[in-house]
Amino acid sequence: MARIVQKYGGTSVGSVERIKHVASRIQRSKAEGHELVVVVSAMGKSTDELVSLATEITNTPSKREMDMLLSTGEQVTISLLTMALQEMGVQAISLTGWQAGMKTETSHGNARITDIKTKRIEAELSQGNVVIVAGFQGVSGSEITTLGRGGSDTTAVALAAALKASRCDIYTDVTGVFTTDPRYVQKARKLHSISYDEMLEMANLGAGVLHPRAVEFAKNYEVPLMVASSMVEEVGTMIEEEVTMEQNLVVRGIAFENDVTKVTVRGLPNRLNTLSKLFTALSENQVNVDIIIQNQYDDEHVNISFSITQSTLKETLAVLQNAQEELQFTDIYFEEELAKVSIVGSGMVSNPGVAAQMFAVLADNEVAIKMVSTSEIKVSVVVEEADMVLAVEMLHNAFQLAEEVEEAEIEAM
Ligand code: ADP
Ligand code: ASP
Ligand code: MG
């Protein structure tokens, strides 16, 4: 008998039929003798629908009330799934985030888990119940919080760590983690396994298949994590420390995200504290900046460019304009409708030619590169949004990601 945490995402519980299907999968696992804790998301696109209801009322909803609203989505699913199980004769109980002991910080909309009081879940398990927990939500004092969009993955992995489960299985609408998003690139190939670090990088760089904080938890607490389909019976992808297959592949996957905007602040004084003043002003106003480039164009002046998400442009411009006198820049220039495309792989660290190859592929396909950023295991470029999918496809071909690599070949690499 093993203790297992399973998680089913929005599409997988998107209708009554699908909820019944999930219930029958749970029934099967239970019949194998496992102790089961199951985390679920809100049905289908219901979280998006709740967000748009709020925007029909206000453009500036209070974060507390947004959490109050969005947390209702998961509560619908836990009760319906539990009823479906009970109808099948499976003993089950549903718990909201606070009933499950999911303690978080106060920061509404993006709360971090601080502690999980597992007493209630343990008690329900020992009574023989399958425990169905609402994903994405927690509690701070007596306030309901949410963990950020896509956060049910994090609920599941954090519970697996706290309950010392033998594994955490994330069931979703794709059959595993692919070399890139299979919805955009037909030739994307499912990976047998991927390391925590590579997966974390992919998730942070836009691969929406897993919430980045879920991967962080899995890595820190060594939770064996699997991503698989809730609909098709097929082996999924293991996310784990030691990747035995495909080890040291230079590029393992490609992540991408749109809604990137590049802002350039021109004619700043060329002084030691210019960067610190500029980015302090932005961070004090909670503007998140990604890639930064500094250009000196004469002895006295520099231009500084940085990328942000599209949705924060208005706020960014307001912060800069307010600080113009202090920062002493000439003007601001910005480019919208950009995207970030990133190649990720742990073998990159020992392979200096990868970035060069990436740039060459993009140049050959007339894709203009606006910004570049690198780390030991990734190279990211900012390009026009219109070039995004083409760039991903070209890079996927150039790095031969569609091809299965045999273990023998890797050893020879
Ligand atoms: P869930 O509702 O089950 O949490 P999500 O929509 O959050 O599902 O995540 C699954 C989606 O992630 C897939 O439908 C796919 O479009 C997207 N995705 C992005 N990058 C990848 C990738 N590298 N491998 C697999 N899926 C990916
Ligand atoms: N329902 C939430 C969302 O749509 C959380 C999740 O699905 O993980 O973001
Ligand atoms: Mg998700």
Side-chain angles (χ1 to χ4, degrees):
M1 183 185 79
R3 177 175 282 189
I4 300 170
V5 175
Q6 298 183 344
K7 180 255 169 179
Y8 293 91
T11 312
S12 308
V13 293
S15 65
V16 166
E17 281 319 304
R18 291 206 166 145
I19 288 177
K20 287 183 182 170
H21 173 71
V22 167
S24 65
R25 292 179 56 113
I26 296 171
Q27 183 182 37
R28 226 181 322 145
S29 302
K30 179 73 177 159
E32 287 167 12
H34 302 306
E35 266 188 331
L36 290 178
V37 174
V38 179
V39 174
V40 285
S41 294
M43 291 173 70
K45 300 254 170 264
S46 61
T47 310
D48 292 333
E49 285 156 18
L50 292 169
V51 171
S52 65
L53 280 179
T55 53
E56 280 179 40
I57 292 176
T58 167
N59 282 325
T60 51
S62 125
K63 289 188 171 174
R64 178 189 185 276
E65 299 311 323
M66 273 314 274
D67 278 357
M68 193 64 101
L69 177 69
L70 297 193
S71 62
T72 62
E74 272 67 18
Q75 206 167 323
V76 171
T77 324
I78 53 170
S79 48
L80 291 177
L81 178 58
T82 305
M83 288 176 203
L85 285 164
Q86 290 170 346
E87 193 66 16
M88 289 171 171
V90 179
Q91 209 185 310
I93 185 166
S94 64
L95 299 177
T96 63
W98 74 264
Q99 288 175 318
M102 189 67 61
K103 308 280 180 191
T104 73
E105 294 172 339
T106 343
S107 49
H108 285 291
N110 198 22
R112 287 184 167 265
I113 297 169
T114 50
D115 189 19
I116 306 179
K117 305 277 183 219
T118 55
K119 208 169 145 195
R120 175 76 188 267
I121 297 183
E122 291 284 1
E124 299 298 347
L125 285 173
S126 63
Q127 297 280 314
N129 279 311
V130 174
V131 185
I132 311 293
V133 180
F136 174 58
Q137 55 177 262
V139 63
S140 173
S142 57
E143 296 296 324
I144 294 176
T145 54
T146 63
L147 312 182
R149 296 301 306 270
S152 295
D153 297 333
T154 301
T155 306
V157 182
L159 275 175
L163 292 164
K164 301 193 170 46
S166 53
R167 57 176 218 258
C168 181
D169 299 341
I170 306 281
Y171 293 107
T172 181
D173 57 4
V174 282
T175 54
V177 178
F178 284 65
T179 48
T180 191
D181 191 336
R183 275 182 215 290
Y184 287 80
V185 179
Q186 224 196 337
K187 285 189 186 162
R189 178 175 60 86
K190 187 172 72 184
L191 297 164
H192 303 286
S193 58
I194 181 167
S195 70
Y196 290 125
D197 287 334
E198 288 169 320
M199 190 63 236
L200 186 58
E201 202 75 77
M202 291 274 286
N204 274 321
L205 294 168
V209 63
L210 280 176
H211 195 235
R213 294 221 302 277
V215 187
E216 250 171 54
F217 261 105
K219 179 180 158 69
N220 292 344
Y221 294 91
E222 291 174 21
V223 178
L225 185 59
M226 188 192 71
V227 176
S229 166
S230 65
M231 296 151 208
V232 189
E233 295 295 328
E234 207 180 290
V235 181
T237 302
M238 281 308 301
I239 296 108
E240 57 198 356
E241 195 59 68
E242 271 307 303
V243 178
T244 45
M245 306 268 307
E246 304 178 272
Q247 205 160 18
N248 291 329
L249 262 197
V250 174
V251 180
R252 193 174 307 275
I254 305 177
F256 52 92
E257 59 190 2
N258 51 13
D259 288 335
V260 174
T261 296
K262 176 183 171 185
V263 177
T264 304
V265 185
R266 298 195 284 205
L268 285 151
N270 184 15
R271 292 200 199 112
L272 277 175
N273 64 357
T274 294
L275 270 169
S276 90
K277 269 188 171 171
L278 173 63
F279 290 103
T280 304
L282 291 167
S283 74
E284 278 174 352
N285 289 280
Q286 272 77 50
V287 173
N288 257 328
V289 168
D290 185 17
I291 303 174
I292 299 171
I293 295 174
Q294 177 175 257
N295 261 324
Q296 183 175 339
Y297 68 86
D298 63 29
D299 281 350
E300 267 109 66
H301 297 98
V302 291
N303 289 346
I304 295 173
S305 302
F306 55 87
S307 64
I308 52 171
T309 52
Q310 173 69 38
S311 60
T312 58
L313 177 62
K314 242 169 124 179
E315 210 179 326
T316 305
L317 294 178
V319 172
L320 292 172
Q321 273 143 11
N322 278 338
Q324 183 159 17
E325 213 169 297
E326 199 205 335
L327 296 170
Q328 298 169 35
F329 58 84
T330 326
D331 62 0
I332 306 166
Y333 170 81
F334 58 85
E335 282 177 87
E336 296 177 272
E337 293 179 11
L338 302 178
K340 185 165 76 170
V341 173
S342 309
I343 54 174
V344 175
S346 56
M348 228 175 261
V349 63
S350 52
N351 215 315
V354 193
Q357 193 182 345
M358 181 187 201
F359 303 151
V361 170
L362 295 175
D364 289 348
N365 288 282
E366 291 176 10
V367 174
I369 301 172
K370 311 263 174 189
M371 302 178 103
V372 177
S373 145
T374 65
S375 80
E376 287 195 327
I377 67 165
K378 65 117 187 189
V379 183
S380 299
V381 293
V382 172
V383 299
E384 302 261 351
E385 196 173 301
D387 289 333
M388 179 179 79
V389 176
L390 170 78
V392 176
E393 279 172 346
M394 294 306 145
L395 293 167
H396 200 267
N397 286 340
F399 289 105
Q400 299 172 335
L401 296 188
E403 288 152 41
E404 192 83 36
V405 185
E406 299 295 334
E407 223 164 334
E409 285 178 43
I410 299 156
E411 276 160 21
M413 273 166 122

